[in-house]
Amino acid sequence: PPLPLRRLGDRDWVALLRLAEAATPIDVQRVRPLRPEALRPTLLKRLQSWLDAFFTGRQTWRWGLDQDSDLAAVISIMAQDNTSPVRLDLAVRPAIRGSVEGALADFGLATVSALRPRSVAANVSTSHPEALHALQERQFYTLRTLDQLVLQLD
């Protein structure tokens, strides 16, 4: 059955930050801390988004799954034009991983089909194997892999 997703907007930035904190491994956060200002809406960001959409056709849409008054999962769709791949991003709280990724992927693919893209790309962390599996079940294949290496100099 389809998930009860709702369209996310500027007012959801705190919930998105909390989800990112829960879904991003702590080791990654140490190296690349999450910044609230990256998600906090401002007039300048709205203007930039409008100009991007107007001049380049670049747009981003997000839908979220609420559970127990928290944002439990998000699918983001980023599109630019018909020649660039549409990008899907999934973020899921660890407590519900494995139960929603397939439905999120299905929703994303159904939504992007209206855009008639040539291809769809997804960046998925190896710390989220459930998302990798769900996308592979839908015929996504690995284009390249990236391991981030860190050396602590304390």
Side-chain angles (χ1 to χ4, degrees):
L3 296 172
L5 298 174
R6 68 177 177 88
R7 185 80 183 268
L8 299 180
D10 286 344
R11 292 182 178 161
D12 294 299
W13 77 270
V14 173
L16 280 167
L17 179 62
R18 299 293 168 247
L19 174 59
E21 290 169 343
T24 305
I26 195 69
D27 290 340
V28 173
Q29 291 184 50
R30 281 189 196 113
V31 175
R32 194 176 49 222
L34 297 171
R35 298 179 342 225
E37 60 273 10
L39 293 171
R40 185 180 297 123
T42 64
L43 182 59
L44 183 60
K45 285 182 185 175
R46 286 184 186 155
L47 179 61
Q48 181 65 46
S49 179
W50 184 84
L51 290 171
D52 280 347
F54 184 78
F55 288 112
T56 69
R58 186 177 333 159
Q59 292 186 286
T60 300
W61 303 275
R62 288 186 181 95
W63 289 267
L65 172 67
D66 292 314
Q67 191 174 70
D68 300 327
S69 72
D70 283 328
L71 190 57
V74 169
I75 182 162
S76 301
I77 298 174
M78 282 95 12
Q80 184 160 345
D81 55 40
N82 286 350
T83 60
S84 300
V86 171
R87 197 173 93 213
L88 297 181
D89 285 339
L90 305 176
V92 179
R93 285 189 180 274
I96 66 164
R97 285 188 177 170
S99 64
V100 298
E101 289 83 357
L104 288 171
D106 290 341
F107 175 85
L109 291 171
T111 302
V112 302
S113 68
L115 302 172
R116 298 180 182 228
R118 291 187 178 176
S119 62
V120 180
N123 295 328
V124 181
S125 171
T126 55
S127 67
H128 193 171
E130 301 87 352
L132 288 167
H133 180 71
L135 293 169
Q136 288 167 343
E137 282 185 331
R138 284 149 184 85
Q139 309 309 307
F140 281 75
Y141 59 90
T142 302
L143 184 60
R144 66 175 190 254
T145 60
L146 171 67
D147 289 324
Q148 185 174 13
L149 305 175
V150 176
L151 172 63
Q152 292 294 340
L153 299 174
D154 299 342

